[in-house]
């Protein structure tokens, strides 16, 4: 199964202005509340693909093409969408989903043209499916508020079980990049920070990179209840060191020497926002507040890295909300850095 070709997105010009000073307190208040709000359904869901059978590694390096694998894990079989490197190369790019990650497809595969962006590159796209509200970390227990049967162990899956499985197909366990949006943005930096032997590049688009800031833990609690009724205490108990381990602002020193691309937009509506209906107005307003909160977090993280003399590429477009088409453009803007770091041209 192959995805159809879509036009590559235009590069988005970087803006220099941050959030106006007078908005800051209002953004934190509104953003914390709206972090939990669901986007209203604006379009019909795409047709769900039939789950693929569990595969055994075939000890080869496929050259191009798309495949869906069912990968064994401590959480049970996990579906992983894969686009193999065009010329059988060993590098891989892991693309992480957002808080409302679906259990049938990774949204990078249908909300963006990510597969087309890397179709001719010698790098395998790895798009794990699932992980709603997980922050792609290892939890202490199953969520106690929604009947979850298994304990999330996403860090273990992404850094042990999945790379070991993909190694059977010729994918390197040490020459990888990782990128994600929103929840996946902070998770991408965390995975790279704690697994430097695996990841050579990390990108965060509209991530929450200062989650120990006032109000952020409460906002995450509300958001996780709204996104699947997950209990945040099963992920990180109050006052648990796990909160600090998850916070890019705290683990920033461990990112020294890692090439990074980090972006957040102003939250002002741009070319991909069309609030021409009641649903559109709600979605745009929600996406504005979420992006503005991300901007405040990302600006704080930028100051943190500067204080540590750790370089990173930051991009702050003048317009853009918490929406997939903007993340598609940011992936395109970071594409060269990903391929340079992994040698996957």
């Amino acid at each position: 199964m192959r995805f159809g070709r879509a036009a590559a997105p235009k590069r988005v010009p970087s803006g220099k202005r941050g959030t106006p000073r007078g908005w800051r307190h209002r953004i934190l208040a509104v953003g914390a509340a709206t972090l939990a709000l669901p986007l209203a359904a604006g379009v019909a869901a795409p047709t769900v693909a039939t789950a693929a059978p569990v595969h055994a590694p075939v000890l080869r390096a496929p050259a191009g093409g798309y495949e869906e694998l069912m990968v064994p894990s401590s959480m049970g079989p996990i579906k992983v969408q894969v686009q193999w490197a065009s010329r059988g190369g060993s590098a891989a790019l892991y693309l992480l989903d957002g808080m409302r990650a679906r259990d049938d497809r990774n949204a990078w595969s249908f909300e963006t043209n990510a597969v087309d962006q890397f179709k001719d590159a010698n790098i395998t796209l790895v798009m794990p499916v699932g992980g709603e509200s997980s922050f792609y970390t290892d939890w202490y227990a199953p969520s106690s508020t929604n009947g979850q049967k298994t304990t999330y162990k996403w860090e273990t899956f992404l850094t042990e079980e999945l790379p070991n499985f993909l190694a059977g197909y010729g994918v390197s366990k040490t020459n990888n990049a990782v990128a994600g949006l929103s929840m996946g943005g902070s998770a991408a930096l965390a995975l790279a920070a704690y697994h430097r032997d695996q990841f050579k590049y990390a990108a965060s688009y509209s991530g929450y990179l200062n989650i120990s800031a006032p109000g952020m833990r409460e906002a995450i609690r509300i958001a996780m209840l709204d996104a699947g009724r997950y209990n945040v205490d099963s992920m990180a108990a109050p006052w648990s060191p796990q909160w600090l381990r998850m916070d890019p602002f705290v683990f920033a020193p461990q990112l020294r020497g890692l090439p990074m691309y980090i972006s957040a937009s102003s939250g002002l509506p741009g070319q991909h926002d069309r609030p021409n209906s009641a649903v559109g107005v709600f979605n745009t307003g929600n996406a504005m507040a979420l992006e503005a909160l991300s901007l405040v977090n990302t600006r704080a993280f930028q100051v943190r890295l500067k204080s540590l003399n750790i370089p990173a590429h930051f991009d702050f477009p003048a317009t853009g909300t918490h929406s997939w088409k903007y993340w598609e453009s940011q992936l395109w803007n970071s594409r060269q850095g990903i391929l340079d770091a992994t040698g996957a041209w």
Side-chain angles (χ1 to χ4, degrees):
M1 168 178 172
R2 289 179 181 270
F3 287 87
R5 179 172 294 275
K10 297 180 180 179
R11 293 180 182 270
V12 179
S14 299
K16 300 297 183 183
R17 294 183 301 151
T19 306
R21 186 181 298 272
W23 288 20
R24 238 170 240 169
H25 294 296
R26 281 180 287 173
I27 284 169
L28 284 170
V30 175
T34 58
L35 184 60
L37 292 177
L39 295 181
V43 295
T47 303
V48 177
T50 303
V54 175
H55 282 247
V58 293
L59 299 177
R60 62 181 173 85
Y66 171 87
E67 193 167 357
E68 294 181 351
L69 307 176
M70 296 299 292
V71 181
S73 82
S74 61
M75 298 179 285
I78 301 294
K79 184 177 179 179
V80 179
Q81 297 172 263
V82 175
Q83 178 174 264
W84 301 109
S86 63
R87 298 179 298 283
S90 63
L93 168 60
Y94 288 56
L95 289 176
L96 305 182
D97 217 326
M99 184 165 284
R100 295 183 180 279
R102 294 165 41 152
D103 60 5
D104 59 342
R105 286 188 289 176
N106 183 307
W108 281 107
S109 71
F110 65 90
E111 293 282 9
T112 77
N113 66 359
V115 294
D116 197 61
Q117 287 188 30
F118 290 90
K119 195 170 188 177
D120 297 323
N122 202 24
I123 190 169
T124 293
L125 293 191
V126 178
M127 296 172 283
V129 176
E132 182 181 41
S133 289
S134 67
F135 278 85
Y136 293 104
T137 191
D138 286 355
W139 287 32
Y140 293 115
S143 173
S144 60
T145 50
N146 62 358
Q148 188 180 26
K149 301 300 183 183
T150 60
T151 302
Y152 271 153
K153 295 293 181 183
W154 277 97
E155 182 174 354
T156 296
F157 177 69
L158 293 170
T159 62
E160 296 179 22
E161 295 163 339
L162 179 55
N164 287 339
F165 187 85
L166 291 175
Y169 291 86
V171 177
S172 173
K173 295 194 289 184
T174 60
N175 188 27
N176 303 298
V178 59
L181 70 305
S182 195
M183 172 191 86
S186 56
L189 295 183
L191 292 173
Y194 296 115
H195 302 276
R196 294 293 297 274
D197 58 335
Q198 179 178 359
F199 297 107
K200 293 185 174 181
Y201 187 96
S204 168
Y205 317 123
S206 305
Y208 294 98
L209 310 183
N210 188 18
I211 62 177
S212 296
M216 284 301 299
R217 295 185 186 183
E218 292 78 6
I220 290 172
R221 176 183 295 276
I222 295 169
M224 288 172 56
L225 283 170
D226 190 73
R229 298 193 297 113
Y230 286 90
N231 182 5
V232 71
D233 292 335
S234 299
M235 175 179 73
W239 314 115
S240 165
Q242 175 72 353
W243 278 108
L244 300 181
R245 188 181 185 276
M246 291 169 50
D247 190 349
F249 194 91
V250 174
F251 65 67
Q254 294 177 236
L255 296 168
R256 189 178 303 279
L258 178 75
M260 291 177 280
Y261 184 100
I262 299 166
S263 67
S265 298
S266 66
L268 298 175
Q271 61 177 325
H272 300 302
D273 298 290
R274 296 180 176 83
N276 52 7
S277 65
V279 169
V281 169
F282 175 81
N283 283 346
T284 299
N286 188 26
M288 289 172 65
L290 288 170
E291 192 66 15
L293 183 60
S294 170
L295 177 65
V296 172
N297 271 239
T298 303
R299 284 290 190 184
F301 184 69
Q302 182 185 33
V303 172
R304 170 69 164 154
L305 288 189
K306 185 176 181 179
S307 73
L308 296 169
N309 293 315
I310 296 177
H313 179 91
F314 283 89
D315 189 20
F316 297 103
T319 60
T321 61
H322 213 67
S323 307
W324 276 103
K325 284 300 176 183
Y326 297 111
W327 298 322
E328 174 183 278
S329 296
Q330 290 301 322
L331 177 63
W332 176 258
N333 290 347
S334 54
R335 180 179 183 274
Q336 180 174 341
I338 292 167
L339 298 180
D340 285 346
T342 57
W345 284 102

